[in-house]
Amino acid sequence: MRLALQVRHRFAGLELDVDVLAPPGVTVLFGPSGSGKTTLVNAVAGLLRPDQGRIAAGDWVLMDSATRHWLPPSKRRLGYIFQEGRLFPHLTVRQNLLYGRWFAPRDAPAESLERVVDLLGIDRLLSRRPGALSGGEKQRVAIGRALLAAPRLILADEPLAALDEARKAEILPYFERLRDAVSVPILYVSHSSAEVARLATTVIALREGKVAAFGPPAQVLGDPATMGARGLVSVLSAQVVAHHGDGLSELQVAGGTIWPPRLPEEAGRDLRIRVAAKDVILSRVAPQGLSALNILRGTIREIRAAEAPNVLVTVALGDGAEAQMLMAQITRRSLDALALEPGQSCYAILKSIAVSP
Ligand code: ADP
Ligand code: MG
């Protein structure tokens, strides 16, 4: 189901102007604080009536200023996942979950409690009260409650922002499951490029109320105009080939093989690899006598100026339609010393990678 977001609204400190049509899946609103992410979510939720616009999930039109159509918030069939779980402290987990059902219309094809409990791994928690749950467990229950309301659209406004890194790592896989198992579109607000790379089907990068970039995460995260050279990240697709006895897993990516510490995913599974541009070293010859394991072959596609002393080199890994773009941030001095030019073949040494399902 496609998500149409056309919103114009003016506040004293913000001029929001968004017009995108996002494909099914998770659409991440990404941008610095104050860029208008929550304002846009509030417009979708019906908490803000924009000056002008049209918002629709598939043919479910939430508002259209041209036809003066306005669904009140209570009729919008949204599953809301807040930063802090906002569970009812006096109800058990089971009761909290079923509370969501109250808002589902009778004829709505609701998820079953069993399936949701299974999806989120919360069967052991059903009889507990929120006071006896960890932050991560609370957030899983909150996701479940949103799902059981049979929403037509799920809104999650920085749902992980209040959690520490370990809890984030615990919850992210459940959002991935949600994305893969549930057909409801998800609008997810984040200012973390790690979350974007893992979750997003589509990214809307907001800057001061305007769409700075729109598209798949690999494209948006690799755009220096939106990311600033410092935060540039490449996203590569990989496939698990095998697990080896020395504790490493073997992943196939365009341009070669990557060897991360052993992963839980089975052979054949598809993964995403994130590589920060500053963690890539380039070599014109096949490196020898180097302890690095993750070395990929490619062709230099583009060299762009970046903030001194650096330049940004885009390397096409693999061939033709299969090629994937990897960005390397190196110094201009190295660029000159290696005499790198577009069209040359080269080797990219990855100092650090992050793997996600
Ligand atoms: P984000 O969620 O990306 O951090 P917000 O959408 O919350 O950003 O806010 C963006 C800007 O919009 C704020 O900095 C503020 O200037 C303005 N703004 C938001 N809500 C209001 C409001 N109710 N009244 C006036 N200005 C507002
Ligand atoms: Mg916000």
Side-chain angles (χ1 to χ4, degrees), residues 280-300:
V280 180
I281 295 171
L282 297 181
S283 168
R284 284 191 56 182
V285 293
Q288 286 186 338
L290 205 64
S291 68
L293 287 173
N294 300 321
I295 300 172
L296 302 173
R297 236 197 119 127
T299 309
I300 294 178

PDB file of all heavy atoms in Angstrom, residues 280-300:
ATOM      1  N   VAL A 280      36.822   3.000   4.923  1.00  0.00           N
ATOM      2  CA  VAL A 280      37.258   2.306   3.702  1.00  0.00           C
ATOM      3  C   VAL A 280      38.632   2.838   3.274  1.00  0.00           C
ATOM      4  O   VAL A 280      38.848   4.042   3.200  1.00  0.00           O
ATOM      5  CB  VAL A 280      36.239   2.531   2.555  1.00  0.00           C
ATOM      6  CG1 VAL A 280      36.705   1.806   1.295  1.00  0.00           C
ATOM      7  CG2 VAL A 280      34.854   2.062   2.975  1.00  0.00           C
ATOM      8  N   ILE A 281      39.542   1.908   3.025  1.00  0.00           N
ATOM      9  CA  ILE A 281      40.876   2.248   2.514  1.00  0.00           C
ATOM     10  C   ILE A 281      40.943   1.761   1.072  1.00  0.00           C
ATOM     11  O   ILE A 281      40.418   0.690   0.756  1.00  0.00           O
ATOM     12  CB  ILE A 281      41.963   1.513   3.347  1.00  0.00           C
ATOM     13  CG1 ILE A 281      41.947   2.022   4.785  1.00  0.00           C
ATOM     14  CG2 ILE A 281      43.348   1.677   2.726  1.00  0.00           C
ATOM     15  CD1 ILE A 281      42.827   1.202   5.713  1.00  0.00           C
ATOM     16  N   LEU A 282      41.565   2.534   0.195  1.00  0.00           N
ATOM     17  CA  LEU A 282      41.665   2.108  -1.203  1.00  0.00           C
ATOM     18  C   LEU A 282      43.095   1.739  -1.557  1.00  0.00           C
ATOM     19  O   LEU A 282      44.053   2.312  -1.042  1.00  0.00           O
ATOM     20  CB  LEU A 282      41.192   3.228  -2.136  1.00  0.00           C
ATOM     21  CG  LEU A 282      39.722   3.635  -2.002  1.00  0.00           C
ATOM     22  CD1 LEU A 282      39.399   4.741  -2.996  1.00  0.00           C
ATOM     23  CD2 LEU A 282      38.799   2.436  -2.213  1.00  0.00           C
ATOM     24  N   SER A 283      43.219   0.741  -2.442  1.00  0.00           N
ATOM     25  CA  SER A 283      44.534   0.326  -2.915  1.00  0.00           C
ATOM     26  C   SER A 283      44.422   0.047  -4.404  1.00  0.00           C
ATOM     27  O   SER A 283      43.400  -0.458  -4.869  1.00  0.00           O
ATOM     28  CB  SER A 283      44.950  -0.942  -2.158  1.00  0.00           C
ATOM     29  OG  SER A 283      46.075  -1.515  -2.775  1.00  0.00           O
ATOM     30  N   ARG A 284      45.470   0.372  -5.174  1.00  0.00           N
ATOM     31  CA  ARG A 284      45.392   0.097  -6.610  1.00  0.00           C
ATOM     32  C   ARG A 284      45.806  -1.322  -6.929  1.00  0.00           C
ATOM     33  O   ARG A 284      45.493  -1.840  -7.997  1.00  0.00           O
ATOM     34  CB  ARG A 284      46.267   1.089  -7.386  1.00  0.00           C
ATOM     35  CG  ARG A 284      45.578   2.436  -7.451  1.00  0.00           C
ATOM     36  CD  ARG A 284      46.247   3.356  -8.405  1.00  0.00           C
ATOM     37  NE  ARG A 284      46.345   2.806  -9.749  1.00  0.00           N
ATOM     38  CZ  ARG A 284      46.940   3.453 -10.738  1.00  0.00           C
ATOM     39  NH1 ARG A 284      47.485   4.630 -10.521  1.00  0.00           N
ATOM     40  NH2 ARG A 284      47.005   2.911 -11.923  1.00  0.00           N
ATOM     41  N   VAL A 285      46.555  -1.934  -6.014  1.00  0.00           N
ATOM     42  CA  VAL A 285      46.967  -3.325  -6.249  1.00  0.00           C
ATOM     43  C   VAL A 285      46.335  -4.198  -5.182  1.00  0.00           C
ATOM     44  O   VAL A 285      45.932  -3.720  -4.127  1.00  0.00           O
ATOM     45  CB  VAL A 285      48.499  -3.468  -6.179  1.00  0.00           C
ATOM     46  CG1 VAL A 285      49.144  -2.724  -7.337  1.00  0.00           C
ATOM     47  CG2 VAL A 285      49.029  -2.943  -4.862  1.00  0.00           C
ATOM     48  N   ALA A 286      46.249  -5.501  -5.478  1.00  0.00           N
ATOM     49  CA  ALA A 286      45.687  -6.421  -4.495  1.00  0.00           C
ATOM     50  C   ALA A 286      46.563  -6.386  -3.251  1.00  0.00           C
ATOM     51  O   ALA A 286      47.763  -6.642  -3.337  1.00  0.00           O
ATOM     52  CB  ALA A 286      45.642  -7.825  -5.082  1.00  0.00           C
ATOM     53  N   PRO A 287      46.004  -6.010  -2.101  1.00  0.00           N
ATOM     54  CA  PRO A 287      46.833  -5.882  -0.909  1.00  0.00           C
ATOM     55  C   PRO A 287      47.403  -7.238  -0.504  1.00  0.00           C
ATOM     56  O   PRO A 287      46.729  -8.255  -0.593  1.00  0.00           O
ATOM     57  CB  PRO A 287      45.860  -5.366   0.157  1.00  0.00           C
ATOM     58  CG  PRO A 287      44.642  -4.936  -0.570  1.00  0.00           C
ATOM     59  CD  PRO A 287      44.598  -5.701  -1.844  1.00  0.00           C
ATOM     60  N   GLN A 288      48.655  -7.213  -0.073  1.00  0.00           N
ATOM     61  CA  GLN A 288      49.294  -8.439   0.418  1.00  0.00           C
ATOM     62  C   GLN A 288      49.914  -8.145   1.765  1.00  0.00           C
ATOM     63  O   GLN A 288      50.277  -7.003   2.047  1.00  0.00           O
ATOM     64  CB  GLN A 288      50.386  -8.880  -0.550  1.00  0.00           C
ATOM     65  CG  GLN A 288      49.801  -9.487  -1.803  1.00  0.00           C
ATOM     66  CD  GLN A 288      50.879 -10.052  -2.700  1.00  0.00           C
ATOM     67  OE1 GLN A 288      52.031  -9.659  -2.603  1.00  0.00           O
ATOM     68  NE2 GLN A 288      50.496 -10.963  -3.564  1.00  0.00           N
ATOM     69  N   GLY A 289      50.029  -9.158   2.594  1.00  0.00           N
ATOM     70  CA  GLY A 289      50.671  -8.968   3.885  1.00  0.00           C
ATOM     71  C   GLY A 289      49.892  -8.029   4.773  1.00  0.00           C
ATOM     72  O   GLY A 289      50.447  -7.265   5.546  1.00  0.00           O
ATOM     73  N   LEU A 290      48.565  -8.066   4.629  1.00  0.00           N
ATOM     74  CA  LEU A 290      47.715  -7.183   5.408  1.00  0.00           C
ATOM     75  C   LEU A 290      46.805  -8.066   6.258  1.00  0.00           C
ATOM     76  O   LEU A 290      46.332  -9.093   5.784  1.00  0.00           O
ATOM     77  CB  LEU A 290      46.877  -6.369   4.415  1.00  0.00           C
ATOM     78  CG  LEU A 290      46.342  -5.018   4.832  1.00  0.00           C
ATOM     79  CD1 LEU A 290      47.489  -4.063   5.104  1.00  0.00           C
ATOM     80  CD2 LEU A 290      45.459  -4.463   3.725  1.00  0.00           C
ATOM     81  N   SER A 291      46.541  -7.666   7.496  1.00  0.00           N
ATOM     82  CA  SER A 291      45.717  -8.534   8.335  1.00  0.00           C
ATOM     83  C   SER A 291      44.226  -8.383   8.014  1.00  0.00           C
ATOM     84  O   SER A 291      43.415  -9.186   8.443  1.00  0.00           O
ATOM     85  CB  SER A 291      45.964  -8.230   9.807  1.00  0.00           C
ATOM     86  OG  SER A 291      45.465  -6.951  10.116  1.00  0.00           O
ATOM     87  N   ALA A 292      43.867  -7.355   7.252  1.00  0.00           N
ATOM     88  CA  ALA A 292      42.447  -7.138   6.948  1.00  0.00           C
ATOM     89  C   ALA A 292      41.868  -8.291   6.134  1.00  0.00           C
ATOM     90  O   ALA A 292      42.507  -8.798   5.215  1.00  0.00           O
ATOM     91  CB  ALA A 292      42.274  -5.833   6.183  1.00  0.00           C
ATOM     92  N   LEU A 293      40.655  -8.712   6.480  1.00  0.00           N
ATOM     93  CA  LEU A 293      40.008  -9.819   5.781  1.00  0.00           C
ATOM     94  C   LEU A 293      39.032  -9.341   4.718  1.00  0.00           C
ATOM     95  O   LEU A 293      38.741 -10.043   3.762  1.00  0.00           O
ATOM     96  CB  LEU A 293      39.209 -10.665   6.782  1.00  0.00           C
ATOM     97  CG  LEU A 293      39.998 -11.547   7.730  1.00  0.00           C
ATOM     98  CD1 LEU A 293      39.048 -12.165   8.742  1.00  0.00           C
ATOM     99  CD2 LEU A 293      40.713 -12.634   6.947  1.00  0.00           C
ATOM    100  N   ASN A 294      38.502  -8.142   4.933  1.00  0.00           N
ATOM    101  CA  ASN A 294      37.399  -7.711   4.093  1.00  0.00           C
ATOM    102  C   ASN A 294      37.897  -6.796   2.983  1.00  0.00           C
ATOM    103  O   ASN A 294      38.010  -5.595   3.151  1.00  0.00           O
ATOM    104  CB  ASN A 294      36.343  -7.025   4.948  1.00  0.00           C
ATOM    105  CG  ASN A 294      35.817  -7.974   6.013  1.00  0.00           C
ATOM    106  OD1 ASN A 294      35.633  -9.168   5.736  1.00  0.00           O
ATOM    107  ND2 ASN A 294      35.606  -7.469   7.208  1.00  0.00           N
ATOM    108  N   ILE A 295      38.234  -7.421   1.860  1.00  0.00           N
ATOM    109  CA  ILE A 295      38.807  -6.693   0.729  1.00  0.00           C
ATOM    110  C   ILE A 295      37.950  -6.970  -0.501  1.00  0.00           C
ATOM    111  O   ILE A 295      37.704  -8.126  -0.848  1.00  0.00           O
ATOM    112  CB  ILE A 295      40.264  -7.150   0.482  1.00  0.00           C
ATOM    113  CG1 ILE A 295      41.098  -6.881   1.740  1.00  0.00           C
ATOM    114  CG2 ILE A 295      40.855  -6.441  -0.727  1.00  0.00           C
ATOM    115  CD1 ILE A 295      42.494  -7.450   1.711  1.00  0.00           C
ATOM    116  N   LEU A 296      37.463  -5.906  -1.125  1.00  0.00           N
ATOM    117  CA  LEU A 296      36.569  -6.063  -2.268  1.00  0.00           C
ATOM    118  C   LEU A 296      37.182  -5.419  -3.500  1.00  0.00           C
ATOM    119  O   LEU A 296      37.913  -4.440  -3.406  1.00  0.00           O
ATOM    120  CB  LEU A 296      35.208  -5.404  -1.970  1.00  0.00           C
ATOM    121  CG  LEU A 296      34.479  -5.944  -0.737  1.00  0.00           C
ATOM    122  CD1 LEU A 296      33.236  -5.110  -0.447  1.00  0.00           C
ATOM    123  CD2 LEU A 296      34.105  -7.411  -0.934  1.00  0.00           C
ATOM    124  N   ARG A 297      36.829  -5.959  -4.642  1.00  0.00           N
ATOM    125  CA  ARG A 297      37.337  -5.444  -5.902  1.00  0.00           C
ATOM    126  C   ARG A 297      36.326  -4.562  -6.578  1.00  0.00           C
ATOM    127  O   ARG A 297      35.135  -4.866  -6.558  1.00  0.00           O
ATOM    128  CB  ARG A 297      37.590  -6.639  -6.826  1.00  0.00           C
ATOM    129  CG  ARG A 297      38.986  -6.705  -7.343  1.00  0.00           C
ATOM    130  CD  ARG A 297      39.031  -7.617  -8.518  1.00  0.00           C
ATOM    131  NE  ARG A 297      39.471  -6.788  -9.611  1.00  0.00           N
ATOM    132  CZ  ARG A 297      40.504  -7.097 -10.374  1.00  0.00           C
ATOM    133  NH1 ARG A 297      41.133  -8.223 -10.213  1.00  0.00           N
ATOM    134  NH2 ARG A 297      40.885  -6.284 -11.317  1.00  0.00           N
ATOM    135  N   GLY A 298      36.785  -3.480  -7.162  1.00  0.00           N
ATOM    136  CA  GLY A 298      35.832  -2.597  -7.834  1.00  0.00           C
ATOM    137  C   GLY A 298      36.497  -1.687  -8.834  1.00  0.00           C
ATOM    138  O   GLY A 298      37.685  -1.830  -9.141  1.00  0.00           O
ATOM    139  N   THR A 299      35.680  -0.783  -9.340  1.00  0.00           N
ATOM    140  CA  THR A 299      36.155   0.191 -10.320  1.00  0.00           C
ATOM    141  C   THR A 299      35.767   1.580  -9.829  1.00  0.00           C
ATOM    142  O   THR A 299      34.642   1.778  -9.366  1.00  0.00           O
ATOM    143  CB  THR A 299      35.448  -0.044 -11.677  1.00  0.00           C
ATOM    144  OG1 THR A 299      35.590  -1.426 -12.010  1.00  0.00           O
ATOM    145  CG2 THR A 299      36.060   0.810 -12.762  1.00  0.00           C
ATOM    146  N   ILE A 300      36.700   2.508  -9.940  1.00  0.00           N
ATOM    147  CA  ILE A 300      36.393   3.861  -9.473  1.00  0.00           C
ATOM    148  C   ILE A 300      35.375   4.496 -10.401  1.00  0.00           C
ATOM    149  O   ILE A 300      35.547   4.530 -11.620  1.00  0.00           O
ATOM    150  CB  ILE A 300      37.671   4.707  -9.386  1.00  0.00           C
ATOM    151  CG1 ILE A 300      38.544   4.103  -8.280  1.00  0.00           C
ATOM    152  CG2 ILE A 300      37.335   6.174  -9.083  1.00  0.00           C
ATOM    153  CD1 ILE A 300      39.846   4.776  -8.078  1.00  0.00           C
TER     154      ILE A 300
END
